Amino acid sequence: MVEELVGVVAAVGAGALVYVASAARVVKQYERGVVFRLGRLHGDVRRPGFNLVVPAVDRMRKVNLQIVTMPIPAQEGITRDNVTVRVDAVVYFKVVDPAAAIVNVEDYRFAVSQMAQTSLRSIIGKSELDDLLSNREKLNQGLELMIDSPAVEWGVTIDRVEIKDVSLPDTMKRSMARQAEADRERRARLINADAEYQASKKLAQAARQMADTPSALQLRLLQTVMAVAAEKNSTLVLPIPVELLRFLERGQQPAAQASGHAEAASGHAEAAGQAEIAEGAVDRREQAEEAMEQLRRAVEQ
């Protein structure tokens, strides 16, 4: 009798273990469980941890709540300014309502992928080439709104959409390269012209300053000669500038004027001496005539 009781208890225990093993479900931390009892949604969403369902009656489907990174296949289209481009992107989304993601749509991943491709082609047709290349942030926001609107009914929220690459035809790439090169050349010419203008203003100021002090030009010339002579790998030919000759002429003019004044003074002195000599001769001649007159008078007496 005792053996039969022990056997019954063991059988019941084994059956319980089999039942628990078949009814036990483990839901991970990043998952949620949706239970269907005889094909109908039953109860609330099961939380992470150990859960029990009725074997052969209940069926649990687990839904991943992690952010899904889904690349959007490259889509080819024509922009609003009639340029053929090929654009690929990536969409980040996650499930926020596991029951809706299972009940409202057959495969929410495939649905999100198809909606992303359609929205990307629509964005290409509404945008211009410059927007695709430089204004991607605004296009990403618009693409996110277009995908997120129907995805809300599927229990899915779009976290972010990013345009990865924009492929252009080779002819368009060459045209853009020529345009960029021409723009850089234009800016380079403007910068050079501005530099020449500023340099000309400084040279004009320097010229006015040197006109007031001509010796500054000679000092500048000597500095240039010294700078060139420091490099001993060339032959230096130094022409005599006209300004140097004019400088020497201006230096000789005071000396010539001084010598002229000296000659004039000596001439005046010689003239004065000659006048004195003439006056002395006249006086001696008068004295001789007086002596002859006195002698003649004495003879007559």
Side-chain angles (χ1 to χ4, degrees):
M1 187 65 182
V2 176
E3 294 178 357
E4 293 178 356
L5 182 60
V6 172
V8 171
V9 172
V12 172
L17 290 175
V18 172
Y19 177 81
V20 172
S22 61
R25 299 289 186 274
V26 176
V27 179
K28 297 180 180 179
Q29 181 65 38
Y30 54 85
E31 294 178 338
R32 297 294 183 270
V34 180
V35 177
F36 291 92
R37 177 166 294 178
L38 298 176
R40 297 184 62 180
L41 184 64
H42 175 71
D44 296 332
V45 176
R46 299 298 177 91
R47 306 293 298 178
F50 182 78
N51 293 273
L52 292 175
V53 297
V54 179
V57 177
D58 294 343
R59 185 171 60 90
M60 177 184 289
R61 292 188 59 180
K62 299 177 182 179
V63 181
N64 193 333
L65 300 186
Q66 291 177 316
I67 294 178
V68 180
T69 303
M70 177 180 293
I72 304 176
Q75 302 296 313
E76 187 172 352
I78 300 177
T79 61
R80 193 167 60 180
D81 51 353
N82 298 324
V83 179
T84 303
V85 295
R86 189 177 180 87
V87 183
D88 58 346
V90 60
V91 57
Y92 303 87
F93 68 93
K94 64 180 179 179
V95 177
V96 293
D97 190 351
I102 297 298
V103 175
N104 295 344
V105 63
E106 180 181 3
D107 187 352
Y108 65 89
R109 291 174 178 266
F110 181 74
V112 171
S113 177
Q114 294 300 314
M115 179 56 65
Q117 295 179 36
T118 305
S119 301
L120 183 57
R121 286 194 296 267
S122 178
I123 285 291
I124 293 174
K126 294 179 181 179
S127 305
E128 295 183 355
L129 179 61
D130 293 339
D131 294 334
L132 289 175
L133 296 177
S134 60
N135 197 12
R136 293 189 180 181
E137 188 65 28
K138 183 178 179 181
L139 296 179
N140 292 337
Q141 295 177 0
L143 189 58
E144 180 180 348
L145 291 176
M146 293 179 66
I147 302 174
D148 189 60
S149 297
V152 173
E153 300 179 359
W154 306 334
V156 177
T157 181
I158 305 301
D159 186 70
R160 184 187 305 172
V161 180
E162 296 286 345
I163 295 177
K164 292 196 301 183
D165 188 23
V166 178
S167 299
L168 300 175
D170 294 338
T171 56
M172 180 58 65
K173 291 180 181 179
R174 289 193 292 269
S175 299
M176 295 177 65
R178 289 195 298 268
Q179 179 183 1
E181 184 178 358
D183 184 66
R184 291 192 186 95
E185 185 177 356
R186 178 183 63 84
R187 285 183 292 177
R189 290 183 179 181
L190 290 177
I191 293 173
N192 290 333
D194 185 65
E196 292 292 339
Y197 174 71
Q198 295 180 5
S200 64
K201 291 178 63 177
K202 294 298 182 181
L203 289 175
Q205 294 177 1
R208 287 193 295 268
Q209 185 69 25
M210 289 182 178
D212 296 336
T213 55
S215 59
L217 181 61
Q218 307 303 323
L219 294 176
R220 182 57 184 164
L221 177 61
L222 294 177
Q223 290 177 355
T224 304
V225 172
M226 291 178 63
V228 175
E231 300 179 359
K232 300 180 180 180
N233 56 356
S234 60
T235 302
L236 178 63
V237 178
L238 180 63
I240 299 177
V242 179
E243 289 78 4
L244 182 59
L245 297 178
R246 292 176 179 175
F247 178 76
L248 295 176
E249 290 178 357
R250 286 194 295 269
Q252 291 178 356
Q253 285 179 0
Q257 292 178 358
S259 61
H261 289 302
E263 291 178 357
S266 61
H268 288 301
E270 291 179 358
Q274 292 178 358
E276 290 178 359
I277 293 173
E279 289 178 358
V282 171
D283 292 339
R284 286 193 297 272
R285 184 177 178 180
E286 289 179 355
Q287 292 176 2
E289 289 179 354
E290 289 179 358
M292 290 295 293
E293 184 68 23
Q294 293 175 0
L295 180 60
R296 185 178 62 78
R297 290 176 182 179
V299 172
E300 287 180 356
Q301 291 176 359

